């Protein structure tokens, strides 16, 4: 529930300068962007580097949908689609997404409908190129050389590729079948020694639903504990949640954003698993001050949202409405659920006693521990020779050199494929010398 | 031109590590990316985080073109369009673009047809989100805190927004109606004093065609002088060229890339002015080693937009190279006519009050207001009267004030221009009375 009277909400973060790195503090709004407020007014606008859309060859489009319907993009809409846009994305889509967030998460920092955002911690929503861009911008705005990023013990490896160029290191928190373990996070933070480990962490990164690679969900109880720790140790939280709608049960587990009374959560959502990965549409919801700095950054790279891809996806979203989108999410979750049951069943058939795993509760990954194995990499290589590709676990585990785990994706695999792959894996494991 | 015909092969850059900053040197290939090599092979692929595209709701599309034709994106093409794809960009499109580059620029570092690039300096082409992304990431891979970037005295303002957060500063090179002035560049580099100005510059940024904001073209003669200086002082060159096809005359002036025997040029092209600004598609051509580093960076924050790329690709495929080049001529003529209106109307109202060189490419008129030190108050008064232009100082990093304004004529009707220029004339006449 939003608290309009900020004097009652003294827990709200007033100013985010403490979390901004040197680059972020140096970012200024682009003056050219400031002049755009005159577009569409009565003024003659001779200020923009807008190419004349009469020279663009595309005039309109028709999209065919899976249910047989057609969605049209008419000439006026296409002119807008083909022209430069702003950095936060199409305003209509941002509004729609904001209302979706309201419906799904009732964020404490989101002003009521009709009330403008004003406080630095008020929630706004901006579009990004998937969750990946969102995470990257946040890290690039907060972390300084030598800083640490709190991550789960098994996590999305691309984040390591993001923090290394910044000269930062991961600090891993144990996780299990219920997500990251709050008591371990607490230990790490209470025993932090700056002389040894560098500056205290400012940022926690987690994938709380259908964890990549774990397929686990962070329980609501643990989310509350994590949030309490974030308050105690003054952390911001990147809630990387591209599989949120792909939870196998309903109602959906509430998000960290729904608990966010202070304005600590930067929630990264994505349409990649539900609408299109190639359209590169994600959205970040979080404190106005931080996201506005990120928009200044986006103004200088790449300078405009992808209006074409956004228009196409927006027309489909618009035709679905929030209800239709939520229903679609449920349909997609069911499809992945059936696939996950099949993979668990097939794994049970071939790998009982040879491997251990928790059944996925969301998303598309099975995270499997190979028993009696220290390093899954040779196993993966042998599996490739037999004819199947899985991912060796150590790339997800920043604190480990070796890992006994493998990650199996079941989004595409047929029953036959799984049977073959798991039987080959079983052969390889049985051939292993016993230790 | 092949590598073995280089007149001075010993200057061919062997290794680009020395140009890379700390960030660039720390980038590594994404390990998840390695598994993708097996995708599409006979192997059962259980490695990808690829969402199942049966869940995506769009199955096909028809794109209507201005000439009445329709381009179809069939089911299998749409599946690819809606899915994650390779970070360098759509392979068929890149192949087409490489051949376009060969045709337009005959780059010295581009291997012959059929020969794969192998040397670090061999030219490859990758897709970008447009020139702005390309510039921003190139600078982000080269400059360290405290470094300087060589820029034209009047240049694309966004570049300042890129370098300031990095703690870098612009060093301005004078420009005029023929582009940047090589003798000034030479003076700056000869007299560089590291104790005073910090590390010697490694990078030159320029907009050599239809300069933003100047509307000027860097002549071929000057391009050769600039390239010779780049060789002498070991610079890389960002050739930011979104208006290349919008030159008002033909044949097109050869690019810096066409002179690039060493592998120094990072050429940024764009479809924004010709096809679709909103599709955010450009293409970067340059040394393989450098661009591979660029791709490593894109791998962690900016995968290509396969949907937009597919749509643009279908249109390009439909046009062919000939059609694309013809389209470029038509677009150039379109802007040429508009530039002529703008000049004529400016002459009618502002003769004696302002000075300008007629644009030779692109969409901007760069106008000096006579007897004015700072154009900002003039711009504000013009807004009050009813028209918006851009104050010159934002394009001039070395100046606090500028007497210039930049006028875009891409959309303005003759009536609009007449109104705007007559208001401007009124304001300037009132100024001179004071």
């Amino acid at each position: 529930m939003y608290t309009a009277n900020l004097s009652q909400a003294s827990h709200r973060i007033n100013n985010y300068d403490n979390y901004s790195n040197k680059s972020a503090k140096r970012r200024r709004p682009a003056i050219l962007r400031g002049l755009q407020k005159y577009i569409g007014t009565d003024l003659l606008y001779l200020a923009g580097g807008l190419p004349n859309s009469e020279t663009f060859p595309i005039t309109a489009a028709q999209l065919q949908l899976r249910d047989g319907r057609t969605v049209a993009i008419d000439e006026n809409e296409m002119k807008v689609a083909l022209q430069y846009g702003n950095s936060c994305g199409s305003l209509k889509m941002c509004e729609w997404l904001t209302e979706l967030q309201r419906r799904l998460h009732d964020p404490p920092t989101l002003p009521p409908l009709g009330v403008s955002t004003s406080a630095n911690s008020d929630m706004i929503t901006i579009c990004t190129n998937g969750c990946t861009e969102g995470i990257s911008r946040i890290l690039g705005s907060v972390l300084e050389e030598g800083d640490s990023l709190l991550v789960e013990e098994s996590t999305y490896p691309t984040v390591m590729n993001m923090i290394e160029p910044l000269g930062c290191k991961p600090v891993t928190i144990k996780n299990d079948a219920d997500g990251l373990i709050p008591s371990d996070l607490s230990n790490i933070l209470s025993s932090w020694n700056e002389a040894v480990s560098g500056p205290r962490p400012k940022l926690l990164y987690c994938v709380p639903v259908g964890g990549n690679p774990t397929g686990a969900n962070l329980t609501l109880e643990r989310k509350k504990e994590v949030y309490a720790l974030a308050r105690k140790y003054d952390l911001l939280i990147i809630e990387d949640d591209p599989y949120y709608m792909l939870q196998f049960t309903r109602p959906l587990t509430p998000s960290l954003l729904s608990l966010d009374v202070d304005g600590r959560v930067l929630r990264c959502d994505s349409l990649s698993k539900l609408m299109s990965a190639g359209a590169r549409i994600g959205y970040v919801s979080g404190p106005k001050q931080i996201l506005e700095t990120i928009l200044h950054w986006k103004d200088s790279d790449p300078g405009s949202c992808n209006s074409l891809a956004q228009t196409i996806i927006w027309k489909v979203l618009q035709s679905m409405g929030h209800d239709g989108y939520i229903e679609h999410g449920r349909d997609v979750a069911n499809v992945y659920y059936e696939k996950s049951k099949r993979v668990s069943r097939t794994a049970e058939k071939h790998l009982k006693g040879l491997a251990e795993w928790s059944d996925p509760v969301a998303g598309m990954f099975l995270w499997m521990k190979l028993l009696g194995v220290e390093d899954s990499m040779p196993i993966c290589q042998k599996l490739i020779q037999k004819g199947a590709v899985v991912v060796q676990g150590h790339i997800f585990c920043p604190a480990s050199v070796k890992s006994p785990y493998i990650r199996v994706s079941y989004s595409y695999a047929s029953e036959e494929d799984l049977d073959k792959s798991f039987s080959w894996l079983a052969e390889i494991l049985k051939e292993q010398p016993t230790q | 031109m092949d590598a073995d015909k280089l007149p001075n092969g010993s200057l061919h850059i062997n290794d680009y590590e020395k140009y890379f900053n700390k960030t660039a040197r720390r980038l590594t290939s994404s390990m998840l990316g390695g598994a993708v090599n097996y995708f599409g092979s006979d192997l059962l692929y259980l490695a990808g985080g690829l969402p199942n595209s049966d869940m995506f709701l769009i199955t096909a599309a028809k794109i209507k073109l201005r000439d009445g034709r329709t381009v179809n994106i069939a089911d299998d093409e749409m599946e690819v369009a809606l899915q994650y794809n390779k970070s360098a960009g759509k392979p068929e499109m890149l192949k087409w673009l490489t051949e376009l580059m060969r045709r337009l620029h005959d780059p010295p570092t581009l291997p012959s047809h059929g020969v794969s690039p192998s040397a670090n300096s061999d030219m490859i082409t990758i897709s970008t989100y447009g020139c702005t992304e390309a510039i921003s990431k190139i600078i982000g891979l080269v400059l360290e805190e405290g470094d300087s970037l060589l820029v034209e005295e009047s240049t694309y303002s966004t570049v300042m927004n890129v370098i300031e957060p990095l703690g870098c500063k612009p060093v301005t090179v004078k420009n005029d109606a023929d582009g940047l002035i090589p003798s000034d560049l030479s003076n700056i580099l000869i007299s560089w004093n590291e104790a005073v100005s910090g590390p010697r510059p490694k990078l030159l940024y320029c907009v050599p065609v239809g300069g933003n904001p100047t509307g000027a073209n860097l002549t071929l003669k000057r391009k050769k002088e600039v390239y010779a200086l780049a060789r002498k002082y070991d610079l890389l060159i960002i050739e930011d060229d979104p208006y290349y096809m919008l030159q008002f005359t033909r044949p097109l002036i050869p690019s810096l890339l066409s002179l690039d025997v060493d592998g120094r040029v990072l050429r940024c092209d764009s479809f924004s002015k010709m096809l679709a600004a909103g599709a955010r598609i450009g293409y970067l051509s340059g040394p393989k080693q450098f661009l591979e580093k660029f791709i490593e960076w894109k791998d962690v924050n900016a995968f290509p937009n396969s949907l937009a790329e597919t749509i643009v690709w279908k249109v390009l495929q439909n046009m062919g190279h000939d059609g694309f080049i013809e389209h470029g001529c038509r677009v150039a003529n379109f802007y040429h006519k508009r530039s002529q209106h703008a000049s004529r109307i400016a002459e009618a109202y502002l003769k004696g009050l302002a000075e300008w060189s007629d644009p030779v490419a692109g969409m901007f008129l760069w106008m000096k207001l006579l007897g004015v030190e700072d154009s900002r108050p003039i711009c504000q008064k013009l807004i009050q009267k009813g028209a918006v232009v851009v104050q010159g100082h934002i394009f001039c990093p070395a100046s606090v004030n500028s007497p210039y304004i930049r006028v875009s004529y891409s959309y303005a009707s003759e009536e609009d221009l007449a109104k705007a220029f007559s208001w401007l004339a009124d304001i300037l006449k009132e100024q001179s009375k004071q």
Side-chain angles (χ1 to χ4, degrees), chain A residues 37-48:
Chain A
K37 63 179 187 254
Y38 296 111
I39 296 179
T41 63
D42 289 335
L43 297 176
L44 304 178
Y45 192 73
L46 309 173

Side-chain angles (χ1 to χ4, degrees), chain B residues 176-352:
Chain B
D176 61 22
D178 286 330
L180 84 82
I181 300 174
S183 55
D184 196 44
L185 177 58
S186 181
N187 287 339
I188 290 168
L189 292 169
I190 287 176
S191 60
W192 193 274
N193 180 353
E194 291 204 311
V196 172
S197 311
R200 299 192 68 80
K202 278 178 274 184
L203 202 47
L204 163 68
Y205 168 81
C206 63
V207 186
V209 173
N212 186 354
T214 61
N217 288 348
L218 186 59
T219 63
L220 178 58
K221 178 164 178 271
R222 283 189 175 184
K223 278 177 176 168
K224 290 175 175 170
E225 291 174 56
V226 167
Y227 196 79
L229 287 166
R231 300 184 95 187
K232 184 172 178 185
Y233 293 96
D234 196 16
L235 306 172
L236 297 182
I237 304 172
I238 300 177
E239 179 173 43
D240 183 15
D241 223 345
Y243 307 102
Y244 185 69
M245 304 291 264
L246 269 53
Q247 294 177 41
F248 295 157
T249 52
R250 293 296 186 267
L252 296 164
I253 300 175
S255 61
L256 283 158
L257 183 69
S258 71
L259 307 173
D260 189 19
V261 291
D262 295 348
R264 298 186 174 282
V265 175
L266 294 141
R267 181 182 167 74
C268 308
D269 277 285
S270 171
F271 289 123
S272 293
K273 322 300 178 190
M274 298 241 291
L275 285 188
R280 310 313 297 124
I281 297 178
Y283 41 112
L284 172 61
S285 303
K288 177 171 174 298
Q289 184 185 6
F290 196 105
L291 265 54
E292 281 172 353
K293 186 61 74 177
F294 190 101
I295 293 170
E296 276 175 2
W297 206 6
K298 275 184 78 72
D299 255 344
V300 299
N301 56 41
F303 317 145
N305 194 306
S306 341
L307 179 56
E309 284 196 347
T310 299
I311 292 168
V312 167
W313 166 235
K314 295 292 285 187
V315 175
L316 291 177
Q317 201 181 24
N318 192 268
M319 287 172 133
H321 288 136
D322 285 345
F324 182 75
I325 291 169
E326 252 177 70
H327 177 65
C329 289
R330 279 196 300 269
V331 176
N333 284 336
F334 176 91
Y335 285 105
H336 190 195
K337 286 206 182 68
R338 287 177 161 270
S339 82
Q340 288 169 326
H341 293 321
S343 293
R344 196 170 31 88
I345 297 168
E347 187 75 21
Y349 289 98
L350 296 164
K351 190 174 176 139

